[in-house]
Amino acid sequence: MEWLADPQIWASFVTLAALEIVLGIDNLVFIALLAGRLPPRQRDRARKLGLALALGTRLVLLGSIFWMVHLTYPVLSLFGHDFSWRDLILIGGGGFLLFKGTREIHLRADGEEEGGAAGRLRRHRGADHAPRHRVLAG
């Protein structure tokens, strides 16, 4: 129980609690915006389903992080450095984030808001001529 007196543990706990609160509020805002587009009788059900899915996803992701932290057995050795699955996953994820961030910056710097054929068509036709879709109630 001496870990309870460790200030680093408490700092980590406060940081994680703050992140969970911010992400929870973000989920609430996002779900409320999406549910607001539905017919009034479906909004309450959509909010409850969205919150349940957000909570379930968060628990699964936290469980996967807990599992990944324990993947410390070396599986690859390059240039005198041992790499575990955890290291490889973190390196791959970091590389992916760098790629996506750099790509997004280049797209915005070039004036393109959306990629792909749909974005080019929408820019060509103009925003006010974008196709509109109706939601059909079942």
Side-chain angles (χ1 to χ4, degrees), residues 49-105:
L49 179 63
L51 289 174
L53 289 172
L55 175 64
T57 303
R58 176 116 1 105
L59 291 174
V60 168
L61 289 173
L62 286 172
S64 66
I65 290 171
F66 178 78
W67 169 74
M68 190 179 80
V69 166
H70 292 90
L71 296 175
T72 57
Y73 185 79
V75 293
L76 179 67
S77 182
L78 290 173
F79 308 113
H81 296 284
D82 291 334
F83 294 95
S84 66
W85 280 112
R86 179 186 65 186
D87 299 330
L88 297 175
I89 291 170
L90 290 173
I91 290 169
F96 173 75
L97 289 175
L98 285 172
F99 168 75
K100 290 296 283 183
T102 304
R103 184 170 174 242
E104 190 68 27
I105 289 170

Side-chain angles (χ1 to χ4, degrees), residues 8-76:
Q8 289 181 343
I9 297 292
W10 285 103
S12 296
F13 175 73
V14 169
T15 302
L16 287 174
L19 283 171
E20 287 295 320
I21 290 169
V22 168
L23 291 173
I25 292 170
D26 180 59
N27 286 149
L28 288 174
V29 170
F30 185 72
I31 291 168
L33 288 173
L34 288 181
R37 295 181 179 181
L38 294 173
R41 68 173 212 266
Q42 294 178 343
R43 290 178 186 166
D44 191 42
R45 183 172 177 228
R47 283 187 196 107
K48 289 178 184 176
L49 179 63
L51 289 174
L53 289 172
L55 175 64
T57 303
R58 176 116 1 105
L59 291 174
V60 168
L61 289 173
L62 286 172
S64 66
I65 290 171
F66 178 78
W67 169 74
M68 190 179 80
V69 166
H70 292 90
L71 296 175
T72 57
Y73 185 79
V75 293
L76 179 67

